[in-house]
Amino acid sequence: MKHAYLALSLATILNTPLVAFAAEKTQAQDSIEHIEVAGQVIKSQGLSVKNETIDGPFGDNLALQDIARSVTPISSELIEQLNITTLQDVLAVSPNTYSASGFGAPSLPTIRGQLGELFQDGTRRQAGNNGFGVPLSFNSIEQIDVVKGAPPVLFGSSQRNGGFVNLHSKQASTDESKGKASLSAGRWDQYSAQIDFTAPIIKDKVGFRVSYEHLDHGSYYDYSGTKSDSLFAALRILPDDKSSWDINFELYQVEFTDNAGINRPTQALIDHGLYITGQGVQANGSTVPAAGSIVSPTGLVNIDRSTVLTDPDNQNEATTYLIHSIYKRELSANASIKNISYFQHLQREEIAQNSFVEIIDGADTAQNRTELTYQWNSDQQTIFAFDVRYNKVLGYSQFTTEADLPIDLTGPLSNRRIPLTDAQKARLVELRPGVFVSPGAQYDINNDGSGDFNLSDTTDSRSWQTGFAIQQDSDWTDKFHTSVGYRVDYYDVEARDPIAPQGQVAASDSINDTLQSGQVSFNYKLNVDFTGYGAASYNEATSNSMAGGNVLGGGNVISAQNFATENTLVEFGLKYAPTNSDWYADGALFSQRRSLRNRDGSNTGIRTTGFESQVFYDAYPYWLSAGYSYIDARYDNSASSQDSAQVADAFDNSRPDIIAGTGVGAPSFTPFAPSNSQVQGIPEQSFSFNGNYSINSKWQTGFSGLYTKSYPLDFLQTVKIRDQYTLNINTSYAFTPSTKLRLDVNNITNQKNWRPVFEGGYFGATLAFPELPINAKLTLTHKF
């Protein structure tokens, strides 16, 4: 109880007017002069975005209402309240963040209909190839900032521009010792444990923090699971009252499942769970799944939603470690400096029985950015930034012989397996005994004028990115503020084939390019409660492959198109942050034009327009939030492609009572002509809501929900995911001020919901991901 009273006292001093009480009632009555000071009762539970400050993207210590962008800061309290454990979960609180499943292990956020970037402490992390990569551990995370639109000039040129998430690492304490331990157990043998402890080494000077998390998760889905260990350590040094230095390290090891969901997504499957049986047959009579196979339907059955495209013999694991350093110093009354350094090493290996291979034999990324902030006077501030980023990737890939539609999931495991033929092996290179990958370049061995190999993302590449940015922030009046920024990035890139076919000279290429970005924004305080804003940005970005590497394209050269991705944003919004109220709300209208990297390495232009809004209310004993988004996402007179044109292409017409098959065969890579068609896999409207009620000081109960409007799964809109919703409830009970037990029940109404599997809709006619049925998790937390 002593710590609770201390926390309450500090919060009162910092956040509310001073409240004076008489120490003894009789003393107050006998005094000649009676003075009474009334104060506001503390009601905030730390579950509103209103009072969070934002560090990094646009400067430091900025209030939410002063940032001319749509932003949702998610505090550690809100992460716990909403049970956020993956990047997909941010949709519960941040509008326009609906995402595909990412093959069951999303490694990137989806914002405004496209993959976004993932930053940590202001530097861009290595992440997946088009969202498919290594799962993210939240063991090291203290706050999540979700920002819509391309990264600002301080963060620099990147690859994905729908928006970004900036993760804030946990900090060590220099003034008090405290710890937290938690254990959880959930349905399907999902267990986890975490311990987090921080303490000063030299009081008010040096502190440390250690956090360890272990996950051992079984799965609802067949042959699936996750086992991971994350060790995080942080050191905070305060040399004097003008400087701070935070250093942190994370080691993360994970074994996880590549989960492609259920194939053959007909409307009958989506609406009624009915699956068409029958194994595909090649022209030569083989039933091994391959391009052009045709299925003669044998029946229509109810498929168990746990029966997905996985295999018990698949191997999929990764190890990565990261180091961050953030040094800040006040140089004078007008100048301050911040230096951010980052290093990450990644190893990953997946060898799947359906012939898919992705091996990252070593990816190293290092970045250093120095920001100098100079306050010319009370109204004018300039931020200068110098940034250097190095990325080196050695990786091997093979995805050219995959074939999902011919597989009958209801049959034996052999239906799913794709042993390579001698002819297929001849178009690949043997990396090690029994493991075949694409070479990193094309070769014409028989001199017939065409290449003799299948190409994927194999590469041995390195890149240097050197950038300079300047941002000018100006207060022209008490109400009107502007910010203008410009950045130039110089790229020096090399790539070579790390595994050229025997007898061939490994191809290589290099390229240099300069990319630019700019931004302008304004804030206008309509009154003390309302702030209007407008923002525009132009961003030139890159198009990369796995782990941010660069590949050789046609003609065995690095395509200049990889450095010609132009992205624009125009956004207007209104923010309501009243000083003497428990409410916060904002809304934004936006128009974005950006590029999507396709599976074959090409870029597709997409234009989105829409509206999004969020509202929060936080006053004990209540907490409520809601978010709404509308998005019109269309191809910007741009070409697209799919694994197959439509699911009917996989079937012949021998059973028209089941499906009117076209007999084209599948997979059959299909390009679509430039159009302004709706982008598949994105709901036009979504609505989320959350709430919590404290029954008393010990017992709380809460709920959350998500609704998405019907949307097409494939480009031709032959199959749609209907309107769907998910409802979750939770309750917690504090046995003591330090010990709490919480129960989460997700999808309480046991809805049979679906998601796309892959961003960009490439597999829209091939795969659909069944979301989890009703499930529960029990978590015991103890603070010490």
Side-chain angles (χ1 to χ4, degrees), residues 438-516:
S438 297
Q442 188 58 270
Y443 304 91
D444 181 10
I445 294 179
N446 58 13
N447 298 314
D448 65 352
S450 61
D452 296 317
F453 294 89
N454 296 345
L455 298 186
S456 302
D457 280 338
T458 295
T459 189
D460 182 2
S461 68
R462 70 126 185 103
S463 67
W464 284 96
Q465 175 186 351
T466 305
F468 176 76
I470 182 170
Q471 177 176 304
Q472 178 67 33
D473 299 317
S474 305
D475 290 321
W476 301 105
T477 68
D478 291 341
K479 294 185 175 182
F480 186 60
H481 171 87
T482 63
S483 180
V484 179
Y486 171 78
R487 174 162 176 150
V488 59
D489 283 279
Y490 176 75
Y491 281 84
D492 180 10
V493 180
E494 294 178 355
R496 63 180 294 274
D497 181 0
I499 187 168
Q502 188 174 4
Q504 300 298 308
V505 177
S508 63
D509 189 34
S510 63
I511 191 172
N512 300 315
D513 210 340
T514 301
L515 278 66
Q516 302 179 73

Side-chain angles (χ1 to χ4, degrees), residues 416-739:
R416 315 177 187 191
R417 295 177 173 174
I418 305 177
L420 299 178
T421 65
D422 290 340
Q424 290 171 324
K425 292 176 181 178
R427 296 187 61 85
L428 303 169
V429 180
E430 193 169 20
L431 176 64
R432 61 176 96 121
V435 178
F436 289 83
V437 298
S438 297
Q442 188 58 270
Y443 304 91
D444 181 10
I445 294 179
N446 58 13
N447 298 314
D448 65 352
S450 61
D452 296 317
F453 294 89
N454 296 345
L455 298 186
S456 302
D457 280 338
T458 295
T459 189
D460 182 2
S461 68
R462 70 126 185 103
S463 67
W464 284 96
Q465 175 186 351
T466 305
F468 176 76
I470 182 170
Q471 177 176 304
Q472 178 67 33
D473 299 317
S474 305
D475 290 321
W476 301 105
T477 68
D478 291 341
K479 294 185 175 182
F480 186 60
H481 171 87
T482 63
S483 180
V484 179
Y486 171 78
R487 174 162 176 150
V488 59
D489 283 279
Y490 176 75
Y491 281 84
D492 180 10
V493 180
E494 294 178 355
R496 63 180 294 274
D497 181 0
I499 187 168
Q502 188 174 4
Q504 300 298 308
V505 177
S508 63
D509 189 34
S510 63
I511 191 172
N512 300 315
D513 210 340
T514 301
L515 278 66
Q516 302 179 73
S517 59
Q519 65 191 42
V520 59
S521 66
F522 72 86
N523 295 73
Y524 185 77
K525 289 188 177 297
L526 302 173
N527 54 43
V528 293
D529 296 336
F530 288 93
T531 302
Y533 73 87
S537 75
Y538 171 81
N539 174 282
E540 294 177 341
T542 63
S543 181
N544 306 109
S545 61
M546 58 180 173
N550 294 270
V551 297
L552 297 174
N556 290 345
V557 299
I558 302 171
S559 174
Q561 287 296 111
N562 290 350
F563 302 88
T565 303
E566 297 182 340
N567 306 274
T568 60
L569 164 69
V570 176
E571 179 177 320
F572 294 96
L574 181 67
K575 298 186 178 184
Y576 172 66
T579 303
N580 298 314
S581 173
D582 303 303
W583 290 93
Y584 172 84
D586 63 33
L589 292 166
F590 63 88
S591 175
Q592 290 186 205
R593 199 277 180 190
R594 55 195 186 274
S595 289
L596 173 75
R597 182 181 185 268
N598 299 317
R599 195 169 185 265
D600 63 359
S602 63
N603 291 319
T604 293
I606 294 176
R607 183 176 294 278
T608 60
T609 56
F611 169 77
E612 60 204 20
S613 179
Q614 58 186 355
V615 59
F616 287 83
Y617 177 79
D618 182 17
Y620 184 86
Y622 298 101
W623 169 73
L624 297 168
S625 79
Y628 170 78
S629 63
Y630 168 80
I631 184 169
D632 181 21
R634 297 188 175 274
Y635 292 103
D636 190 19
N637 193 28
S638 187
S640 182
S641 62
Q642 275 185 177
D643 183 51
S644 293
Q646 57 183 324
V647 68
D649 290 349
F651 304 97
D652 62 24
N653 200 31
S654 61
R655 290 290 304 273
D657 57 315
I658 294 177
I659 187 170
T662 66
V664 171
S668 52
F669 173 79
T670 306
F672 298 107
S675 72
N676 298 108
S677 299
Q678 179 182 356
V679 178
Q680 65 270 41
I682 303 171
E684 281 189 324
Q685 298 185 63
S686 64
F687 175 67
S688 62
F689 53 92
N690 306 278
N692 183 74
Y693 174 68
S694 296
I695 298 171
N696 53 46
S697 61
K698 295 182 177 183
W699 188 13
Q700 296 181 337
T701 184
F703 62 87
S704 66
L706 171 66
Y707 162 81
T708 53
K709 191 170 178 57
S710 174
Y711 59 93
L713 189 59
D714 61 322
F715 180 88
L716 297 177
Q717 302 192 20
T718 62
V719 177
K720 291 188 176 183
I721 293 180
R722 308 297 190 185
D723 292 18
Q724 55 187 26
Y725 67 90
T726 305
L727 298 176
N728 311 312
I729 60 172
N730 65 80
T731 186
S732 63
Y733 187 83
F735 297 97
T736 71
S738 301
T739 305

